[in-house]
Amino acid sequence: MTKVLTATALLLAAGAAHAQKFEGLADTPQMGWNSWNKFGCEINEQLIRETADAMVALGMKEAGYRYINIDDCWHGQRDKDGTIQADPARFPSGIKALADYVHARGLKLGLYSDAGATTCGGRPGSRGHEYQDARTYAAWGVDYVKYDWCDTKGLNAEGAYTTMRDALRAAGRPILLSICEWGDNKPWDWARDVGHSWRTTGDIYACWDCEVSLGSWSTFGVMKIVDKSLALRKYAGPGHWNDLDMLEVGNGLTPEEDRSHFSLWAMLASPLISGNDLRKMPEAVRKVLTNKDVIAVNQDKLGVQALRMLTDGPLEVWIKPLAGDDWAVLFLNRGEQALERSYDWHKQPLSDDLSKRSADLKKAAYRWTDLWQRNTGDTARPLTLKLAPHSVTMLRLTPRGAL
């Protein structure tokens, strides 16, 4: 008996040592919707069904969005065997029925849990139940797990997230693992083979450049998160992305800020997870979230996170090499006053040592397309910039040949 138990233990240890995340689930940054930014704990199965319907009807599925993610507070209690249940009042049909509904519309279902004993909203977490929960999620047809970091005193982050990775692998259903430990334990150093994306900061807040203190932690505006993520670009790539948190487009920013926020997340190769009420979305917000040209920059298969190439007062110039020798170039006015500039393409070559890509615009001409205004032009002549406060001009450059 001892020999049998020892052999079994060795087999289990060998399996754990060779466990890995599911590949091919995030070759480009994941796109979807999440309930938290708009609804917090005020969620139910009707909201999820209506959101899935809206994602299809409003063209978001066509634009590339796939995941309908239920965040915190879906949980009920664990049964006598420790199996997690959905809240019977809010989700009386159960999660599997919701997954079936979402799948029938060509979409995927995401679910939230936490590495601790309780979630940030005080519901049952997965600590001590990782393999059991993973099997339950697989049986329900879940496609995405956002795994949070509340109530984790005494836990090692790398170990805790690796345990859930291994549990999901053992359950057998391909499930994307979104690591949400707020960058506290530098996941970019260890999470490449653990999860498909990792949060770089604390939670986002629907403001341009603010920080809101909540005592022991803070939430951050768009530009605060961008600035905190500048040094992390070398860690991002196909299958392992820096996650700048869910989008606040449509949640109270100005129209210019909505476009800038979306453009920056696209340039920085962050997951595009909308966080607004899709059922009541104004047409202007829908147009931002479904701009296929901007989305194409985010979903570019080269998978390089943008570089802030130039800062000149309130003007920032960001560049992102794209597949096929194209470039995305973003001009940002992060200041409080309107800005007018003439930008001479010949003075500053496009150069990125991370991707080993460069373009000398004195020697080669590129045609550009404005991805928001649809204007066109080329780099043979200076670009006239007129930028409102907190606004962007975002261009895609395509080679024309030698000058």
Side-chain angles (χ1 to χ4, degrees), residues 17-91:
H18 290 92
Q20 57 185 2
K21 70 182 184 184
F22 289 98
E23 299 294 341
L25 299 183
D27 290 343
T28 59
Q30 62 264 33
M31 297 177 60
W33 172 88
N34 181 286
S35 58
W36 185 257
N37 283 6
K38 183 65 177 180
F39 298 100
C41 281
E42 299 305 312
I43 55 174
N44 56 52
E45 63 182 43
Q46 181 180 354
L47 167 66
I48 304 307
R49 290 194 177 100
E50 290 175 354
T51 299
D53 291 340
M55 183 172 282
V56 175
L58 297 174
M60 291 185 71
K61 176 188 172 186
E62 182 184 357
Y65 294 85
R66 288 293 179 270
Y67 293 100
I68 300 290
N69 294 339
I70 308 171
D71 209 281
D72 204 352
C73 304
W74 62 267
H75 317 68
Q77 299 301 312
R78 295 189 181 276
D79 67 14
K80 61 182 179 60
D81 298 317
T83 302
I84 190 65
Q85 307 293 312
D87 184 322
R90 298 186 183 195
F91 297 90

Side-chain angles (χ1 to χ4, degrees), residues 133-367:
D133 285 355
R135 290 193 297 271
T136 300
Y137 301 156
W140 285 346
V142 170
D143 305 290
Y144 186 120
V145 169
K146 174 184 173 183
Y147 206 44
D148 218 339
W149 190 240
C150 283
D151 192 17
T152 52
K153 185 177 180 179
L155 282 180
N156 171 271
E158 182 177 358
Y161 283 96
T162 300
T163 297
M164 181 50 82
R165 177 204 67 183
D166 294 349
L168 293 173
R169 188 75 188 191
R173 179 180 177 82
I175 294 178
L176 187 152
L177 178 58
S178 171
I179 293 173
C180 181
E181 60 77 76
W182 324 313
D184 287 357
N185 296 279
K186 298 182 178 179
W188 43 87
D189 284 337
W190 49 262
R192 176 174 178 150
D193 296 322
V194 178
H196 298 88
S197 63
W198 50 79
R199 283 274 299 281
T200 58
T201 70
D203 290 355
I204 195 170
Y205 188 80
C207 66
W208 179 246
D209 194 14
C210 69
E211 178 176 344
V212 179
S213 175
L214 298 168
S216 60
W217 59 288
S218 294
T219 59
F220 302 100
V222 170
M223 293 311 303
K224 286 286 191 292
I225 289 178
V226 168
D227 290 342
K228 288 175 178 291
S229 303
L230 281 173
L232 304 179
R233 63 186 301 260
K234 66 181 180 181
Y235 299 101
H240 50 96
W241 306 105
N242 290 316
D243 180 358
L244 278 62
D245 204 3
M246 300 166 290
L247 293 161
E248 291 284 15
V249 174
N251 284 341
L253 298 172
T254 69
E256 291 80 9
E257 291 167 350
D258 272 347
R259 286 189 293 272
S260 298
H261 176 20
F262 193 67
S263 300
L264 286 162
W265 262 231
M267 291 287 289
L268 290 163
S270 176
L272 297 180
I273 307 295
S274 64
N276 58 320
D277 188 346
L278 302 189
R279 307 166 305 167
K280 302 175 182 179
M281 181 164 52
E283 177 62 10
V285 173
R286 189 195 71 83
K287 285 183 175 179
V288 171
L289 290 174
T290 59
N291 185 319
K292 293 182 181 179
D293 293 323
V294 174
I295 289 170
V297 170
N298 174 263
Q299 296 290 294
D300 183 75
K301 294 187 182 303
L302 198 60
V304 177
Q305 182 172 314
L307 167 70
R308 185 167 67 184
M309 182 183 73
L310 176 67
T311 300
D312 183 7
L315 177 66
E316 295 182 357
V317 183
W318 293 77
I319 61 172
K320 176 179 171 70
L322 305 175
D325 294 326
D326 284 11
W327 292 80
V329 181
L330 180 142
F331 300 90
L332 166 69
N333 178 8
R334 67 183 293 166
E336 305 302 319
Q337 304 297 323
L339 180 153
E340 292 191 21
R341 296 281 178 87
S342 177
Y343 183 80
D344 189 343
W345 296 102
H346 295 173
K347 288 185 177 180
Q348 181 71 47
L350 307 180
S351 182
D352 173 30
D353 59 356
L354 179 64
S355 63
K356 311 303 181 187
R357 287 274 300 275
S358 63
D360 187 343
L361 302 182
K362 291 185 290 187
K363 297 179 179 179
Y366 282 72
R367 182 171 181 80

Side-chain angles (χ1 to χ4, degrees), residues 256 259-260 315 331-333 337-343 368 370 373 375 382-395:
E256 291 80 9
R259 286 189 293 272
S260 298
L315 177 66
F331 300 90
L332 166 69
N333 178 8
Q337 304 297 323
L339 180 153
E340 292 191 21
R341 296 281 178 87
S342 177
Y343 183 80
W368 57 257
D370 187 320
Q373 302 300 324
N375 301 323
L383 175 70
T384 299
L385 290 169
K386 294 183 179 181
L387 292 168
H390 305 175
S391 72
V392 296
T393 291
M394 185 174 180
L395 309 179

